[in-house]
Structure formats: structure tokens, C-alpha cells
Amino acid sequence: QVQLVESGGGSVQAGGSLRISCVVSRFNMSPFRMGWFRQSPGKEREGIACIGGGSTSYADSVRGRFTISRVDKSLFLQMKNLKPEDTAMYFCAADHSILQCGLRRVDYQFWGQGTQVTVSS
């Protein structure tokens, strides 16, 4: 059973930075694509960044402020200039596909449990 475990969430003031991580275990196939999603109460889960197939992609809402990176089976999201609207549960996702990564939920088969990021004004 593939497992994804996020860590590094917390509370930060607006304008601050935070880095969250995700470790994938029991994932035998390579290469694969990975992504970060987030969900606020009452809102749909949205894709914000992904990496795979030799490329990265970002949602307009985070482009220029967030950076996704990957080392082997660990995924990272460096977040800078955080805003209160970035407050959400952040989820890591992974998939076997070697195709270019995407920001749709259907692009990913495996999900973590999430880590909470709270940005205060």
C-alpha cells in the first residue's frame, strides 16, 4: 500500500515563509509525477503545484511565491510571501504516470492525509 505522509505545516504571519514536505513510501515504480493540493473549509480541493515528466506547473494563485521540488521520493513546497487566503489543509499526491504533471485531482491516484497551514493577518 502506497503511503504519503506530509509534514511541516503550522501557523505563520502574513508575509512569512514555510516549507512543507511529503515522503512517499512503498512506491516501486519510477518515474512518477507528484503534486500539491489544498482545501479550505467549504471549498473544492485545488491543485496548486506539480512536478513530473520533466516539468513543473503552478496555479496562478501561487505562481511566483511557491516553489515545488523533489528529491527521490520526497516532495517539498517552499512557500513565501504567504497570505491569509493561503490558509488551508495541504495535501500531497502521487501517480505512476510518466506524462506531464497536471493540477486536476483525477491526475493522481495516491493521496496523503494533509498538513494544516494557517496564515494570520
Side-chain angles (χ1 to χ4, degrees), residues 91-111:
F91 298 89
C92 170
D95 189 75
H96 291 297
S97 176
I98 62 172
L99 298 176
Q100 185 173 356
C101 71
L103 297 178
R104 303 177 305 164
R105 291 185 66 175
V106 296
D107 291 332
Y108 300 91
Q109 183 177 3
F110 306 104
W111 294 84

Side-chain angles (χ1 to χ4, degrees), residues 23-75:
V23 177
V24 182
S25 60
R26 306 177 189 174
F27 201 111
N28 297 322
M29 295 178 62
S30 180
F32 56 94
R33 58 187 180 184
M34 300 187 72
W36 286 104
F37 288 70
R38 67 185 182 186
Q39 188 170 18
S40 304
K43 293 187 177 181
E44 294 284 326
R45 188 173 298 188
E46 62 168 337
I48 57 173
C50 68
I51 186 167
S55 67
T56 58
S57 183
Y58 296 92
D60 290 341
S61 58
V62 305
R63 187 178 294 112
R65 299 187 298 121
F66 291 10
T67 303
I68 189 171
S69 61
R70 175 185 150 190
V71 177
D72 194 18
K73 294 182 180 179
S74 293
L75 184 70

